[in-house]
Amino acid sequence: MKFSIERAVLVKAVSQAQSVVERRNTIPILANVLIEATPDGVSFRATDLDTEVLDHSPAQVERPGSTTVSAVMLNEISRKLPDGALVQISSDDATGRLAVQAGRSSFSLATLPREDFPVMATSEYSATFTAPAKVLRRLFDKSKFAISTEETRYYLNGVYMHVAKSEDGPVLRCVATDGHRLARIDAPLPAGADGMPGVIVPRKTVGELRKLLDEDEAEITVSVSETKIRFATATITLTSKVIDGTFPDYSRVIPQGNTRKLEVDATDFARAVNRVATVSSERSRAVKLSLDTDKLVLSVNAPDSGAAEEELVVAYDDEPLEIGFNAKYLQEIANQVDRDNAVFLFNGSGDAALIREGSDLSAVYVVMPMRV
């Protein structure tokens, strides 16, 4: 195998591949990236057996072939090469080494046989549809903060993507919750998605997917089966197993009867919460919201470290209310709000709060209260 590739193209491809690789591996081949050179270009493939990424890159291929080499090592080398360099890569089957050359720099790396590399089995996908990158980015970016990190409740360790019914008709919906807060984000249902099964996309896959969604104009082909999901652009394919579990009935925890309405500038609110939370104990980070007519007082009282209070002018015309929340949860939700105003809907001091982005009903957040 022998080919030449631009340094920037190599960095992008290998960086994507090595991020899938687990740093600590009991199976040596899983630490490697599979490089395959054909007359059409070069592909880089990496897997952890649950997730697989495949990147097709343009290159000048002199001699087709394939081999595997340490993904982390190749990534480190390619990043340290000078900008604009043309990198020459060749493998020698007799010595089992991969040569990497750029300018006056040359490296000789150990390889493992291509035959040992596991390739994720192909699936029959029950639904395939295409969606703009910016639509998928919104769905996952706005929901992923609520993914649970509690491994015992493994079915909450991802984003539940499914077809749902809204007031305006069927939608593509992403939901995530950890039992303390919940995010439910809707987008118009793409053509071909109506028959897709609901799947829980794992946290790691959501993180890897983000790298495919940077270009607003890109169209992403999504293929879904009961066990796998695949996201593909013209050059990159990300395939992942989905979490084998049943996502809970989230509709039961979304409040329906909250009538006390607070409207507040989302940016001002997030900054105020951040300031008063400075003195809160790291363990609870509880902040109290005291509501009265057109006034919101945020306060923290931490006996060990001090107290803080800040007043905001808001739109509120209901009975006075005092309610406490985890400051981190409030900040994370407020940071998701794209509109100027965040709308909070309360019931009582012991009930969950519902948060919306202005009049937009396609993004809904729920946060459970804390005792303060």
Side-chain angles (χ1 to χ4, degrees):
M1 178 181 75
K2 187 175 184 181
F3 63 89
S4 300
I5 187 170
E6 290 181 16
R7 181 253 182 195
V9 175
L10 180 65
V11 167
K12 183 175 180 293
V14 179
S15 174
Q16 177 88 34
Q18 70 91 31
S19 65
V20 170
V21 170
E22 294 291 344
R23 290 281 176 155
R24 295 174 184 169
N25 262 313
T26 54
I27 307 172
I29 194 72
L30 292 182
N32 282 16
V33 56
L34 170 61
I35 306 172
E36 296 179 294
T38 68
D40 296 331
V42 178
S43 67
F44 298 84
R45 187 190 301 261
T47 184
D48 64 359
L49 297 182
D50 290 324
T51 310
E52 179 187 85
V53 65
L54 174 64
D55 186 297
H56 293 281
S57 299
Q60 295 173 307
V61 178
E62 192 174 317
R63 189 169 65 243
S66 60
T67 190
T68 82
V69 69
S70 166
V72 172
M73 183 72 71
L74 186 58
N75 183 54
E76 287 289 313
I77 289 171
S78 59
R79 292 174 72 88
K80 292 175 181 178
L81 294 175
D83 289 343
L86 185 66
V87 185
Q88 294 180 320
I89 295 178
S90 60
S91 64
D92 187 336
D93 293 339
T95 61
R97 312 293 283 187
L98 183 79
V100 181
Q101 292 181 306
R104 297 183 180 181
S105 301
S106 63
F107 304 85
S108 178
L109 307 179
T111 65
L112 288 173
R114 180 252 180 278
E115 293 73 28
D116 295 346
F117 193 88
V119 175
M120 192 175 278
T122 55
S123 269
E124 287 292 324
Y125 293 102
S126 52
T128 298
F129 61 90
T130 303
K134 60 183 178 183
V135 170
L136 292 174
R137 186 172 68 232
R138 176 179 179 272
L139 283 171
F140 284 100
D141 276 4
K142 283 180 170 291
S143 57
K144 67 183 180 183
F145 75 91
I147 294 175
S148 175
T149 56
E150 193 180 323
E151 297 302 330
T152 53
R153 302 170 77 187
Y154 64 93
Y155 48 85
L156 297 182
N157 295 161
V159 172
Y160 180 41
M161 187 171 82
H162 60 294
V163 177
K165 289 182 180 178
S166 73
E167 294 176 2
D168 298 325
V171 292
L172 183 63
R173 176 174 290 174
C174 281
V175 180
T177 182
D178 62 1
H180 302 289
R181 64 259 172 89
L182 177 145
R184 190 197 77 190
I185 316 299
D186 293 347
L189 188 67
D194 49 354
M196 69 168 273
V199 291
I200 306 172
V201 185
R203 183 195 308 111
K204 180 175 179 178
T205 305
V206 172
E208 292 301 323
L209 173 62
R210 186 61 181 79
K211 298 167 191 172
L212 274 67
L213 305 178
D214 278 337
E215 294 180 25
D216 281 358
E217 304 310 313
E219 289 288 322
I220 312 295
T221 301
V222 184
S223 304
V224 189
S225 74
E226 295 281 357
T227 57
K228 288 181 187 166
I229 189 164
R230 173 172 287 176
F231 300 92
T233 68
T235 57
I236 302 174
T237 302
L238 175 67
T239 309
S240 171
K241 293 179 182 177
V242 299
I243 293 174
D244 183 14
T246 302
F247 201 80
D249 182 5
Y250 59 86
S251 62
R252 291 168 54 191
V253 300
I254 298 177
Q256 302 297 326
N258 288 14
T259 56
R260 299 181 181 184
K261 183 179 178 182
L262 160 72
E263 286 195 58
V264 59
D265 183 286
T267 304
D268 290 348
F269 180 80
R271 288 173 179 169
V273 171
N274 189 33
R275 282 192 288 269
V276 298
T278 307
V279 301
S280 71
S281 64
E282 202 60 42
R283 186 171 54 84
S284 67
R285 294 183 63 82
V287 59
K288 181 166 77 173
L289 279 61
S290 301
L291 281 159
D292 210 332
T293 305
D294 293 342
K295 184 175 77 170
L296 168 64
V297 177
L298 299 162
S299 61
V300 169
N301 189 6
D304 296 339
S305 53
E309 186 175 291
E310 182 161 342
E311 185 176 315
L312 291 175
V313 176
V314 299
Y316 181 76
D317 184 19
D318 213 309
E319 295 177 9
L321 173 69
E322 288 191 348
I323 187 168
F325 295 103
N326 181 303
K328 177 172 173 279
Y329 296 168
L330 285 182
Q331 272 184 276
E332 286 180 335
I333 291 174
N335 288 336
Q336 301 306 319
V337 178
D338 293 330
R339 312 232 169 172
D340 290 340
N341 279 4
V343 176
F344 287 74
L345 294 169
F346 302 103
N347 186 31
S349 59
D351 301 311
L354 185 74
I355 300 104
R356 298 197 314 250
E357 302 187 13
S359 58
D360 185 2
L361 301 179
S362 69
V364 171
Y365 309 96
V366 178
V367 60
M368 300 300 292
M370 290 179 68
R371 286 185 179 179
V372 287

